[in-house]
């Protein structure tokens, strides 16, 4: 699929959200779309999925079957999970038997079996999000577009998303995924597209984009405040772990962060967990992804890792 | 596409939102036929006029039942054109149901006279009634589509489009109107059905209604390009 000088704005007098975007995504590739809130990530994804139409430029070679998982699944619909997925399977062009098989398969894979006869409005946010994933996968898509797919999912279900992506890639499909929570650490080898100022730039996935992950422990009562402060400072929070032991503040050794010592063996993989050292037992984790994501800090500029915890 | 039509009709019926226009239609028909008996063809012409805003409202409600994101999911699945057409077909199907109720209603409540010597037979009267209601239904669905949330975004604008369309159709359709061609020929059809109906007039009115609906639906498709 190619985007050729694509421009888009909402309304004739609105500002351009995308200004001359040119990009290409080949079969078997996955691209992570990064950017600040309001930068146009969802707009770009909807453009690629075929929901939005460019005001200028064009999207060419879009695969025939596209699966789109919106950021918020529209759960306000008067039907059960089974009925909804069956209807969506038929809408996608599957036959009755194929639809039934696909619904059985994906409700089972995504842990939706106990909820099959539950009405959509009665589902929790995470379960509804799984229904959104299931409807996109009923017919193996040539292009899977995931808008914040991890939103609302529990830790067990989060691991399923990379599995789904791998399946699409293995079938020769392409995947676009947006993420603002650092979950794309689960997608090694993904290309990184950054949306900023209406343009899309692709960042190198290795080399100077090496990643440093700093794990910091804080008292449990101060987790929320610390996370908020770190985010305000422009750091990228990868995850917050529940304390397994009484929290003990741990300071990462105050040495400059060579990417290999922190993110090795995955230098270049944003948000790869740190290995070794006292940080290995510390929580919560604070990641410092590459400087391309808009909310990242270059290790060379961020000073000593210990400063992150203070 | 038929699966999407069925899905939308099912959503329309299950939410209970189908009830409001049906009740409004029954109320309008009850008032219409409560005053006395009329010849079937003439009564059907007036019935189509009375139901025009109800049918447009019903189409708007049906097109608005789905959440916006679900409408876009359907669009990704079947493509934009099929998504628009499926919505319009579902609205037409629901409208046909209402029309059938309107055709049978006067016979149930004794609102029409049984054909006497020189009158049209019942079958012919029913056929004329169906024709008159279909001439109202097509433009009504088009008006409902123009008032749907996908285009108007807010409930206020949606109601405004619906009200202007319905009132305009009645106001500009009156005898002596300066621009009757601006609106669908709902009132003209009712006037014609009060007397005799030459074939040429029937064809002209059919073409007029189809052209009006075609122009309105072309506008709908044009605006939907940028309003998914």
């Amino acid at each position: 699929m190619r985007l050729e000088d694509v421009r888009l704005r909402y309304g004739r007098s609105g500002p351009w959200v995308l200004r001359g975007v040119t990009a290409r995504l080949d079969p078997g590739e996955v691209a992570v779309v990064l950017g600040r809130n309001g930068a146009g990530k969802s707009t770009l994804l909807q453009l690629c999925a075929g929901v939005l139409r460019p005001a200028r430029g064009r999207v060419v070679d879009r695969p025939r079957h596209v699966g789109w998982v919106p950021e918020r699944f529209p759960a306000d619909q008067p039907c059960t999970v089974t009925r909804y997925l069956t209807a969506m399977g038929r809408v996608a062009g599957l036959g009755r038997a194929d639809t039934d098989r696909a619904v059985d398969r994906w409700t089972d894979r995504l842990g939706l079996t106990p909820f099959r006869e539950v009405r959509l409005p009665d589902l929790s946010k995470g379960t509804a999000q799984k229904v959104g994933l299931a409807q996109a996968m009923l017919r193996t898509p040539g292009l899977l577009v995931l808008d914040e797919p991890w939103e609302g999912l529990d830790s067990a279900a989060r691991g399923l998303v990379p599995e789904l992506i791998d399946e699409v890639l293995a079938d020769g499909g392409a995947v676009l995924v947006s993420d603002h929570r650092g979950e794309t650490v689960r997608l090694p080898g993904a290309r990184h597209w950054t949306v900023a100022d209406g343009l899309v730039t692709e960042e190198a996935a290795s080399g100077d984009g090496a990643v440093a992950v700093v794990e910091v422990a804080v008292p449990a009562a101060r987790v929320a405040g610390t996370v908020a402060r770190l985010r305000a400072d422009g750091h990228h929070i990868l995850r917050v772990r529940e304390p397994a032991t009484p929290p003990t503040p741990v300071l990462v050794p105050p040495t400059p962060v060579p990417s290999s010592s922190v993110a090795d063996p995955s230098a270049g993989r944003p948000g790869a967990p740190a290995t070794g050292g006292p940080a290995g037992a510390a929580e919560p984790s604070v990641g410092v992804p590459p400087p391309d994501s808009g909310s990242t800090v270059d290790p060379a500029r961020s000073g000593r890792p210990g400063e992150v915890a203070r | 596409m038929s699966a999407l039509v069925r899905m939308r009709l099912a959503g329309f019926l299950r939410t209970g939102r189908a009830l409001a226009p049906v009740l409004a239609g029954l109320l309008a028909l009850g008032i219409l036929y409560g005053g006395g008996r009329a010849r079937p063809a003439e009564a059907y012409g007036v019935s189509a006029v009375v139901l025009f805003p109800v049918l447009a409202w019903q189409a708007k409600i049906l097109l608005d039942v789905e959440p916006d994101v679900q409408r876009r999911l359907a669009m990704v699945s079947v493509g934009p054109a099929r998504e628009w057409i499926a919505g319009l077909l579902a609205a037409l199907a629901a409208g046909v149901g209402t029309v059938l109720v309107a055709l049978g209603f006067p016979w149930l409540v004794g609102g029409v006279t049984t054909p006497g010597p020189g009158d049209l037979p019942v079958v012919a009267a029913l056929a004329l009634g169906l024709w008159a209601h279909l001439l109202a239904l097509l433009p009504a669905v088009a008006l409902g589509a123009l008032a749907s949330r996908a285009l108007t975004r807010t409930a206020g604008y949606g109601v405004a489009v619906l009200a202007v369309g319905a009132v305009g159709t009645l106001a500009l359709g009156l005898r002596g109107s300066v621009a009757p061609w601006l609106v669908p020929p709902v009132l003209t059809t009712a006037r014609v059905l009060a007397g005799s109906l030459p074939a040429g007039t029937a064809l002209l009115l059919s073409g007029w209604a189809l052209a009006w609906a075609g122009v309105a639906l072309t506008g709908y498709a044009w605006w939907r390009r940028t309003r998914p």
Side-chain angles (χ1 to χ4, degrees):
Chain A
M1 183 187 65
R2 296 195 317 277
L3 280 68
E4 296 179 349
D5 196 24
V6 165
R7 292 166 176 259
L8 189 142
R9 61 182 172 188
Y10 295 101
R12 289 194 172 188
S13 56
W16 290 104
V17 180
L18 298 175
R19 302 182 290 119
V21 171
T22 297
R24 178 190 180 112
L25 188 67
D26 290 323
E29 287 188 327
V30 54
V32 176
V33 179
L34 302 167
R36 296 178 182 279
N37 291 340
K41 298 191 295 294
S42 288
T43 298
L44 177 67
L45 292 184
Q46 291 186 52
L47 196 76
C48 292
V51 175
L52 297 175
R53 180 190 176 96
R56 294 179 198 167
R58 59 179 189 159
V59 180
V60 295
D61 294 338
R62 181 189 288 119
R64 185 175 177 194
H65 299 297
V66 177
W68 175 46
V69 179
E71 185 176 2
R72 292 190 189 90
F73 176 73
D76 185 20
Q77 300 187 66
C79 54
T80 63
V81 171
T82 297
R83 197 181 281 270
Y84 174 76
L85 290 177
T86 302
M88 287 302 283
R90 299 304 305 276
V91 168
L94 293 175
R96 195 179 298 274
D98 288 341
T99 297
D100 291 343
R101 272 196 295 276
V103 171
D104 289 344
R105 179 183 177 213
W106 286 106
T107 49
D108 183 49
R109 284 282 305 276
L110 292 166
L112 288 168
T113 305
F115 303 98
R116 285 187 64 150
E117 298 312 315
V118 176
R119 286 164 48 83
L120 293 180
D122 297 333
L123 296 174
S124 68
K125 181 182 176 187
T127 310
Q129 187 69 356
K130 289 181 189 175
V131 178
L133 284 168
Q135 62 80 26
M137 295 296 294
L138 288 174
R139 179 164 200 160
T140 306
L143 172 66
L144 179 62
V145 180
L146 303 163
D147 197 348
E148 306 284 355
W150 288 279
E151 203 66 37
L153 294 183
D154 55 35
S155 56
R158 284 179 195 171
L160 281 169
V161 177
E163 287 181 24
L164 304 189
I165 291 174
D166 285 344
E167 285 188 26
V168 174
L169 297 179
D171 285 339
V175 179
L176 260 180
V177 53
S178 73
D179 174 39
H180 75 276
R181 296 164 57 98
E183 293 282 353
T184 42
V185 64
R186 301 167 187 266
L187 302 175
R191 295 166 60 186
H192 286 178
W193 292 0
T194 300
V195 185
D197 300 325
L199 296 172
V200 174
T201 52
E202 180 159 6
E203 302 297 334
S206 58
D208 291 342
V211 173
V213 176
V214 181
E215 295 198 338
V216 179
V218 297
R222 290 169 48 197
V223 167
T226 304
V227 166
R229 199 161 52 251
L230 288 169
R231 279 200 173 122
D233 287 345
H235 300 297
H236 196 147
I237 307 298
L238 291 179
R239 62 179 179 271
V240 176
R241 294 203 303 260
E242 292 298 321
T245 55
T248 305
V250 177
L251 197 62
V252 179
T255 55
V257 185
S259 60
S260 59
S261 68
V262 186
D264 187 65
S266 53
R269 284 173 49 187
T275 56
E283 57 264 1
S285 304
V286 178
V288 187
D292 53 317
S293 65
S295 57
T296 58
V297 175
D298 184 338
R301 285 187 282 115
S302 63
R304 295 177 175 177
E307 290 174 0
V308 175
R310 286 200 287 266
Chain B
M1 191 163 67
S2 62
L4 187 53
V5 173
R6 286 197 302 275
M7 186 179 184
R8 288 185 166 161
L9 278 172
F12 176 61
L13 295 173
R14 281 201 205 103
T15 54
R17 290 178 204 177
L19 268 180
V22 166
L23 289 176
L26 289 175
L27 180 67
L29 291 174
I31 294 170
L32 174 66
Y33 291 113
R37 294 184 163 205
R39 289 191 303 114
E42 186 178 358
Y44 282 141
V46 180
S47 165
V49 172
V50 168
L51 284 183
F52 177 77
V54 175
L55 291 168
W57 182 36
Q58 179 176 269
K60 172 178 164 50
I61 289 179
L62 187 143
L63 293 173
D64 288 352
V65 160
E66 266 185 343
D68 292 344
V69 176
Q70 178 56 40
R71 188 175 64 243
R72 291 167 189 167
L73 280 171
M75 178 182 286
V76 168
S77 199
V78 301
R82 289 183 173 203
E83 188 272 319
W84 308 336
I85 294 170
L88 296 171
L89 287 178
L92 265 179
V96 166
T98 304
V99 164
L100 292 178
V101 170
L103 291 179
F105 188 87
W107 302 98
L108 294 176
V109 301
V112 288
T113 55
T114 50
D119 286 340
L120 285 172
V122 174
V123 175
L126 280 172
L128 282 178
L130 181 62
W131 173 74
H133 282 87
L134 289 181
L135 286 199
L137 175 61
L138 290 174
V141 167
L143 176 59
L146 290 175
S148 66
R149 192 177 63 242
L151 294 195
T152 55
R153 307 273 170 86
T154 65
Y157 284 127
V159 170
V161 170
L162 207 56
V164 168
V167 172
T169 297
L170 298 181
L172 291 177
L174 293 172
R175 199 188 301 271
S177 165
V178 291
W181 42 269
L182 267 181
V183 294
V186 181
L187 273 175
T188 309
T189 304
R191 281 196 297 271
V192 167
L193 284 176
S196 61
L197 177 64
T201 305
L203 282 175
L204 181 66
L205 290 175
S206 301
W208 180 353
L210 283 172
W212 196 93
V215 169
L217 290 175
T218 302
Y220 173 73
W222 175 261
W223 276 308
R224 282 297 309 275
R225 292 165 69 244
T226 53
R227 297 178 183 222

